[in-house]
Amino acid sequence: MSDSISRYTTANGAPVPHDDISVTAGERGPLTFDNWRLFEKLAHFNREQIPERVVHARGSAAFGTFRLTRDLSDLTIADFLRGVGRETPVVARFSTVAGGQDSADNLRDVRGFSLKFYTEEGNWDMVGNNTPVFFIREPSKFPDFIHTQKKDPRSNLVNWQNRWEFWANHPQSFHQVTILLSDRGIPYSYRHMNGYSSHTLSLYNAQGERAWVKWHFKTNQGIRNLTDEQAETVGTDHHQRDLFRSIEQGDFPSWTVKLQVMTEEQARHYHINPFDLTKVWPHADFPLMEIGQLELNRNPDNYFAQVEQLAFSPSNFVPGISGSPDRVLQSRLWSYADAHRYRLTVNYQQIEVNRPRCPVSNYQRDGLMAAAAPLGEAREGGQYASTNFYPNDRAVEGAPVPDAMVAEPPMPLEQDAWVGYHDNRDEDNFSQAGELYRLFDESQRERLARVFATTLQDVTASVCQRVIAQCYAADSDYGRRVEQAWRTGADESDAAEQTLNNF
Ligand code: HEM
């Protein structure tokens, strides 16, 4: 065989003589038991799939670079946020939320906007969305919420009754519902949408001072959306194709990265709870500060290895970046790593796309699929220490020791705070939705009302009435318009006759 042709092998590396024919007992006879190559092939095929993500299962990813344009040493010790011009490799994954892996890109849904920054002091994951707020401020509602967005357990179909029933019973969702049903509910492509941390995160500096921050990624391609009618014409793979093709053609998408910053003192007195995920911080009070550019310029080589196995976690912080008292964020700090351990095993951070680009030195050992096996001696800058316990006397041999300098400042708590069930369900759910509505022009308001009417078409009257009451609570024109559109639609489809059994 010529040198330029690579030999086909089995998984153990042994060359394969044939792959189109199996070993049989005679020309017309059955298989024999020594068809181990065939059995390996069939067995591997049976195991090609892993559980898909429980949410955000359908997505696209690309690699690129974050370039810092403003030094942030005054705010943070984060290594990659200091020194203008500093470049950090990143991988981004965009996704829809509700649909499974084989659903469609062109649906009305929130879009995930996740970034992994491979910094020299560990991976920082910014796991956000294309909207600055979220449906809930109470994390225990997440599984209920997602159940209503996914397929109905009986019909296996998307069910707007379930969706609206959740929203009717959770006015805290209304701000995000207004965004979802507005023009921004179906982005034209992943390149034409903004990203947001949505949550309040924090930065802390060398003096131990913490500032609350919200991250914004403003598309340099311009915001572009699809109406429901346009979405039907672009095809179900449109977002994947658009991202992949534009990068293949050298038309690299980019985003301008900005921060909103609030001091601890400002947070104490601000009239909006800065840790309420259903609220934005008005730009007039907290202006956007430009800090960098994000560019995506390389497609993955292998979708399964680099996208399906790509694992983000809001708990992947680096020194200088931390969380906040936002309850939803705190649940997420636990939830994602748990999901990855289930989907990808306990050693998911050793998979190439998730692996930090800096040395990983600790005393965690072994477990399913351990690939970075400690070999009993220090290697490559002390990456693998010979000991598996701490403390020990081996620091001079490269055994890792903690660095107290990276400790984050203590998280403030309210004075005299009581541990217990604190109900914040009724905390102003409508003002910001009303403010947003009043920014819409006439045609945007009309389209919004139409989307309400269409999706409420087969929904019980009692749910519709609660939803319309929420629109009125946000803005009287909003309520009037949605009610009118709904009544017109209801007359047409005789929706008054609809029952809960509306599949
Ligand atoms: C209590 C609230 C939440 C819980 C429990 C939760 C949980 C999860 C879980 C388990 C996954 C799948 C992870 C995986 O298997 O890879 C996921 C994915 C994701 N979530 Fe959440 N989530 C919550 C809220 C949010 C919020 C508020 C945002 C955005 C601000 C968000 C953005 C995302 C994104 C972008 C992904 C996909 C990550 C990727 O591209 O792989 N989630 N979430």
Side-chain angles (χ1 to χ4, degrees), residues 148-216:
T148 66
Q149 303 299 298
K150 285 187 163 279
K151 292 177 183 173
D152 181 275
R154 179 153 178 258
S155 68
N156 200 34
L157 297 169
V158 166
N159 183 328
W160 279 96
Q161 169 71 28
N162 294 349
R163 291 181 172 186
W164 278 116
E165 212 170 310
F166 182 88
W167 292 329
N169 289 323
H170 295 85
Q172 63 187 275
S173 297
F174 193 69
H175 191 182
Q176 175 76 306
V177 167
T178 299
I179 298 173
L180 178 65
L181 269 58
S182 78
D183 287 355
R184 291 208 181 180
I186 318 179
Y188 170 78
S189 83
Y190 289 136
R191 294 181 300 128
H192 294 85
M193 63 184 200
N194 290 342
Y196 304 88
S197 64
S198 314
H199 293 288
T200 298
L201 300 174
S202 59
L203 295 176
Y204 57 91
N205 64 17
Q207 289 73 47
E209 296 158 339
R210 187 195 296 272
W212 306 117
V213 292
K214 282 187 185 285
W215 290 74
H216 299 247

Side-chain angles (χ1 to χ4, degrees), residues 103-121:
S103 56
D105 292 342
N106 55 342
L107 300 178
R108 183 171 292 281
D109 199 355
V110 168
R111 298 301 191 275
F113 194 107
S114 302
L115 298 171
K116 190 183 286 293
F117 293 75
Y118 298 101
T119 91
E120 286 173 23
E121 289 197 323

Side-chain angles (χ1 to χ4, degrees), residues 17 86 88 103 114 119 154 168 191 230-231 257 364 372 383 466 472:
R86 189 77 187 263
T88 305
S103 56
S114 302
T119 91
R154 179 153 178 258
R191 294 181 300 128
Q230 289 166 335
V257 186
Q364 293 170 17
Q383 192 156 1
R466 271 173 283 162
Y472 274 111

Side-chain angles (χ1 to χ4, degrees), residues 173-394:
S173 297
F174 193 69
H175 191 182
Q176 175 76 306
V177 167
T178 299
I179 298 173
L180 178 65
L181 269 58
S182 78
D183 287 355
R184 291 208 181 180
I186 318 179
Y188 170 78
S189 83
Y190 289 136
R191 294 181 300 128
H192 294 85
M193 63 184 200
N194 290 342
Y196 304 88
S197 64
S198 314
H199 293 288
T200 298
L201 300 174
S202 59
L203 295 176
Y204 57 91
N205 64 17
Q207 289 73 47
E209 296 158 339
R210 187 195 296 272
W212 306 117
V213 292
K214 282 187 185 285
W215 290 74
H216 299 247
F217 301 83
K218 300 282 189 188
T219 170
N220 293 336
Q221 290 66 242
I223 296 276
R224 205 174 149 192
N225 301 307
L226 296 170
T227 62
D228 286 310
E229 296 73 32
Q230 289 166 335
E232 278 179 20
T233 66
V234 297
T236 54
D237 296 326
H238 177 61
H239 286 20
Q240 165 69 23
R241 185 175 298 111
D242 174 90
L243 183 69
F244 189 82
R245 277 200 186 152
S246 71
I247 293 177
E248 285 301 280
Q249 288 164 1
D251 178 12
F252 301 140
S254 63
W255 286 259
T256 299
V257 186
K258 300 186 177 186
L259 293 184
Q260 282 182 295
V261 182
M262 188 187 285
T263 64
E264 285 184 338
E265 184 57 20
Q266 286 172 315
R268 251 175 248 127
H269 305 293
Y270 195 52
H271 65 283
I272 296 168
N273 173 0
F275 312 114
D276 177 349
L277 181 57
T278 67
K279 306 273 193 322
V280 295
W281 298 352
H283 295 184
D285 293 342
F286 297 96
L288 294 173
M289 172 173 94
E290 185 170 332
I291 66 146
Q293 288 290 323
L294 169 74
E295 180 188 88
L296 300 180
N297 47 33
R298 183 163 61 88
N299 279 315
D301 296 319
N302 180 309
Y303 186 87
F304 183 86
Q306 294 171 299
V307 187
E308 195 52 23
Q309 297 198 114
L310 179 52
F312 296 93
S313 172
S315 58
N316 275 351
F317 288 127
V318 294
I321 300 187
S322 179
S324 80
D326 178 334
R327 298 160 191 191
V328 177
L329 172 65
Q330 287 169 348
S331 308
R332 297 179 69 205
L333 297 184
W334 173 80
S335 184
Y336 288 64
D338 178 62
H340 304 326
R341 288 178 197 118
Y342 164 66
R343 237 167 56 81
L344 302 167
T345 82
V346 67
N347 285 308
Y348 68 92
Q349 303 209 71
Q350 294 179 12
I351 296 170
E352 181 57 23
V353 72
N354 301 321
R355 190 180 58 76
R357 300 306 184 241
C358 58
V360 174
S361 322
N362 58 42
Y363 300 92
Q364 293 170 17
R365 285 292 181 278
D366 310 339
L368 212 56
M369 304 303 291
L375 296 179
E377 59 187 53
R379 294 197 329 178
E380 292 181 286
Q383 192 156 1
Y384 307 121
S386 57
T387 45
N388 61 358
F389 60 94
Y390 181 84
N392 56 57
D393 298 341
R394 324 283 175 86

